[in-house]
Amino acid sequence: MEGLQLKTIQEIRKEIDHCDEILIQAFEKRMELVLQVLEYKTKEGMPILDSSREEEIIAHGLRSVKNRDFSKEIEDFIKSILNISRKMQSIRLFPYNIILIGFMGTGKSAIGDRLSQLLRMECIDTDVLIERQMKTSIAKMFEEHGEKYFREAEKDMVKRVSYRKNTIISCGGGVVLHPDNVKQLKDNGKIVLLSAHPEIIYERVKEDQNLPVLKGNMSIEFIQKKMEERKDKYESAADIIVDTSNKDKEEICQEIVYKLLKNGK
Ligand code: S3P
């Protein structure tokens, strides 16, 4: 049939290459603009993390889809772009590890996870890694081999993870007890001390069976006493301090980012 000649695969591929060129050009431009936004926000002291803006971008992208058959793919595409952009911003803002320390129940794991979602930075937890490596729980390690054994395992783990870059490292509450740990963590990272009132900590940890340091002593008074004992070590290790009492995760993450940036490198 005249005029309805089938395209050859070479021709189709050529068109795909052309589309990629257009995408790459637009993407490069977008990255430049994202960095401009970052510079602007930093200069003006505006909040860096803005989840509502991301939702707006996705909605805007979906509104401009012409072929609805591709809506799902377009949504995935926009989300990947947002991930890459956020990651690029994070690497520039935090070219170091963000180390979370603090007493049990101050929110290190929960905040580590949320911060990791918001900054698209990997988050690791030394306690989880120790349990995985030793194939047992921390409670069992204390019970069967004593605290000293656990502290040695913790020291080894800290040594290993300190070499990482651009990672959020959530540490066990007793990590500051060994000065070598703090020294090592500081080599590639900034230390964020999370704090909370003993009453709030008690409410958060009272049912936790995997906290051998509090075993048989689960009370506000004991928590207060232990916190007092460690206070100087926590505070001298910290680059910044964030109180997590009566704040939601978003507020805490915003405060960490704000204080880290203010603290400078
Ligand atoms: C400890 C805190 C725990 C865990 C171990 C010892 C401590 O971590 O490392 O039970 O001495 O404060 P979390 O603070 O993450 O619970």
Side-chain angles (χ1 to χ4, degrees):
M1 252 190 294
E2 230 179 285
L4 254 183
Q5 257 191 337
L6 219 57
K7 280 191 261 182
T8 65
I9 182 129
Q10 284 81 5
E11 283 166 337
I12 302 173
R13 283 180 171 161
K14 215 166 158 195
E15 278 188 54
I16 289 182
D17 287 347
H18 183 61
C19 281
D20 287 347
E21 282 161 26
I22 295 171
L23 280 174
I24 288 167
Q25 268 174 26
F27 194 52
E28 276 185 53
K29 179 75 192 160
R30 196 184 191 286
M31 299 293 240
E32 281 165 23
L33 294 169
V34 165
L35 289 181
Q36 281 177 29
V37 168
L38 185 65
E39 202 184 317
Y40 187 93
K41 282 182 170 178
T42 316
K43 230 196 230 146
E44 298 295 316
M46 286 166 73
I48 302 289
L49 308 173
D50 190 350
S51 307
S52 62
R53 173 68 187 139
E54 291 195 358
E55 281 157 28
E56 227 175 84
I57 292 173
I58 295 171
H60 174 261
L62 288 176
R63 277 197 303 276
S64 43
V65 176
K66 288 201 186 88
N67 183 347
R68 296 273 146 201
D69 287 350
F70 296 138
S71 291
K72 174 76 187 77
E73 285 72 21
I74 298 287
E75 187 174 346
D76 289 348
F77 179 59
I78 305 170
K79 284 183 178 167
S80 313
I81 292 177
L82 290 176
N83 274 337
I84 295 168
S85 299
R86 178 67 83 200
K87 218 172 182 165
M88 177 180 72
Q89 290 184 322
S90 294
I91 287 174
R92 280 167 176 73
L93 289 172
F94 309 110
Y96 49 80
N97 296 325
I98 300 178
I99 321 282
L100 302 177
I101 65 162
F103 201 76
M104 292 160 267
T106 49
K108 301 177 296 283
S109 305
I111 294 304
D113 285 346
R114 186 64 190 131
L115 210 50
S116 154
Q117 287 166 1
L118 289 168
L119 297 175
R120 273 56 161 202
M121 276 170 75
E122 192 189 352
C123 176
I124 56 169
D125 183 314
T126 57
D127 281 348
V128 172
L129 293 177
I130 294 167
E131 288 189 327
R132 204 174 291 157
Q133 192 200 338
M134 299 302 203
K135 297 187 176 63
T136 184
S137 70
I138 290 174
K140 275 228 173 76
M141 283 179 83
F142 268 66
E143 209 175 285
E144 290 170 7
H145 306 280
E147 178 167 352
K148 200 159 175 282
Y149 179 81
F150 168 75
R151 297 294 172 207
E152 282 306 309
E154 185 173 48
K155 213 171 120 205
D156 285 348
M157 192 50 76
V158 165
K159 206 169 175 179
R160 265 206 255 167
V161 298
S162 296
Y163 288 106
R164 285 177 157 258
K165 290 269 159 66
N166 197 236
T167 304
I168 298 166
I169 306 176
S170 169
C171 299
V175 76
V176 292
L177 297 177
H178 208 301
D180 283 0
N181 289 344
V182 176
K183 208 171 149 286
Q184 230 130 24
L185 289 164
K186 269 189 182 284
D187 271 352
N188 280 332
K190 281 200 188 182
I191 298 193
V192 179
L193 170 62
L194 298 182
S195 67
H197 303 309
E199 295 78 6
I200 291 178
I201 290 185
Y202 174 75
E203 285 306 319
R204 289 178 185 164
V205 302
K206 65 182 179 192
E207 308 294 348
D208 196 333
Q209 302 299 317
N210 198 24
L211 293 177
V213 174
L214 300 179
K215 197 177 170 197
N217 282 306
M218 193 54 94
S219 69
I220 297 174
E221 292 70 33
F222 187 76
I223 288 172
Q224 201 157 15
K225 181 174 155 267
K226 268 274 167 235
M227 284 173 81
E228 199 52 46
E229 271 172 32
R230 293 178 176 181
K231 189 174 184 283
D232 289 348
K233 290 198 169 79
Y234 280 138
E235 288 179 0
S236 63
D239 290 298
I240 62 160
I241 303 177
V242 174
D243 189 339
T244 65
S245 317
N246 306 313
K247 287 180 196 154
D248 66 29
K249 284 191 223 168
E250 307 306 305
E251 274 177 275
I252 297 166
C253 291
Q254 290 283 4
E255 193 175 327
I256 292 174
V257 168
Y258 177 76
K259 286 187 171 168
L260 277 176
L261 294 179
K262 220 171 94 185
N263 177 270
K265 178 67 190 164

